[in-house]
């Protein structure tokens, strides 16, 4: 596949996100992307967001549970940029009309105090973290029926569409096995643990540093890293109040907007 063809596909994927209109899976159209080409497509698609004034705030990690890796037939994680246009203020409102079929996942967020890149160990990852926080990630595949191949989802920025970060806490909290409850309107809809994120969310940060090095880049100081989902994703609906309550870390929350009346 030529660079021009990948650029044209990037415009289609970006347009689907911008206009909240689902498109056919690239794989279903007979488009055979390599993993490298899928990340190239992702980069070109996100670059279009930057050209509209957004900027990068960090990265999200995906496929951070062994079960999800097995389900997708892969042996490594995936990642994608978090941009300013995706940010939802803690306690604020998510505009439902900007999404196609959004779902939400409870996560752990890291705030870096120094850059990371390349092969590091767990202690090095921990020492680079300024603060940790409970977080919510909104995922919203731009493909029909929320179905995709590995290359499809990488090209679509790993389905990342929005995120909320709760109050930052000191990084001396042991986050290896924290209870996490995802609530809709005060009722629990998913219950899990931060241990579901590779057994310890810091392992996700180790992987993020490695992947940054492999891509010839770095996780910069001040970056936010979403470590991955602690539970299955839950479908969002208009008007619902969403909150994750995380042991020792507190809460992150937002409300989904109601559609405008006719």
């Amino acid at each position: 596949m030529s660079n021009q063809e990948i650029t044209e596909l990037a415009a289609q994927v970006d347009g689907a996100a911008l206009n909240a209109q689902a498109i056919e899976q690239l794989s279903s159209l007979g488009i055979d992307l390599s993993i490298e080409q899928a990340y190239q497509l992702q980069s070109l698609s996100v670059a279009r967001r930057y050209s509209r004034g957004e900027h990068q705030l960090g990265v999200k990690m995906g496929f951070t549970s062994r079960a999800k890796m097995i389900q997708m037939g892969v042996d490594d994680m995936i990642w994608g940029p978090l941009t300013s246009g995706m940010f939802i203020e803690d306690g604020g409102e998510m505009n439902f009309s900007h999404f196609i079929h959004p779902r939400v996942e409870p996560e752990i967020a890291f705030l870096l105090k120094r850059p990371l890149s390349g092969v590091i160990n767990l202690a090095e990852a921990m020492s680079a973290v300024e603060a940790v926080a409970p977080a919510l990630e909104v995922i919203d595949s731009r493909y029909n029926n929320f179905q995709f191949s590995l290359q499809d989802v990488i090209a679509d920025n790993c389905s990342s569409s929005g995120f909320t970060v709760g109050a930052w806490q000191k990084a001396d909290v042991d986050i290896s096995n924290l209870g996490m409850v995802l609530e809709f309107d005060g009722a629990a809809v998913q219950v899990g643990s931060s241990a579901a994120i590779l057994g310890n969310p810091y392992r996700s940060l180790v992987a993020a540093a490695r992947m940054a090095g492999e891509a010839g880049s770095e996780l910069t100081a001040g970056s936010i890293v979403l470590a991955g989902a602690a539970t299955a994703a839950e479908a969002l609906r208009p008007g619902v109040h969403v909150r994750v309550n995380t042991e020792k870390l507190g809460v992150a929350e937002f409300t989904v907007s109601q559609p405008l009346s006719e």
Side-chain angles (χ1 to χ4, degrees), residues 135-191:
L136 294 162
E137 185 186 8
V138 178
I139 57 172
D140 186 32
S141 174
R142 266 59 71 159
Y143 302 118
N144 287 329
N145 302 316
F146 221 111
Q147 296 179 342
F148 41 75
S149 70
L150 175 61
Q151 287 88 339
D152 287 336
V153 71
I154 290 172
D156 186 29
N157 200 28
C158 305
S159 299
S160 190
S161 300
F163 70 102
T164 294
V165 178
W168 292 107
Q169 310 291 334
K170 291 181 180 180
D172 57 2
V173 177
D174 180 0
I175 61 169
S176 61
N177 187 20
L178 300 180
M180 301 182 72
V181 182
L182 180 65
E183 301 173 352
F184 279 11
D185 294 331
V189 291
Q190 293 285 343
V191 178

Side-chain angles (χ1 to χ4, degrees), residues 67-90:
K68 190 66 175 179
M69 286 188 198
I70 293 169
Q71 178 187 341
M72 294 300 295
V74 299
D75 57 8
D76 202 359
M77 284 146 277
I78 59 175
W79 72 333
L82 298 171
T83 76
S84 53
M86 299 177 189
F87 184 69
I88 304 166
E89 201 73 49
D90 186 31

Side-chain angles (χ1 to χ4, degrees), residues 9-21:
L9 289 173
Q12 291 180 33
V13 172
D14 174 63
L18 182 62
N19 300 310
Q21 294 182 339

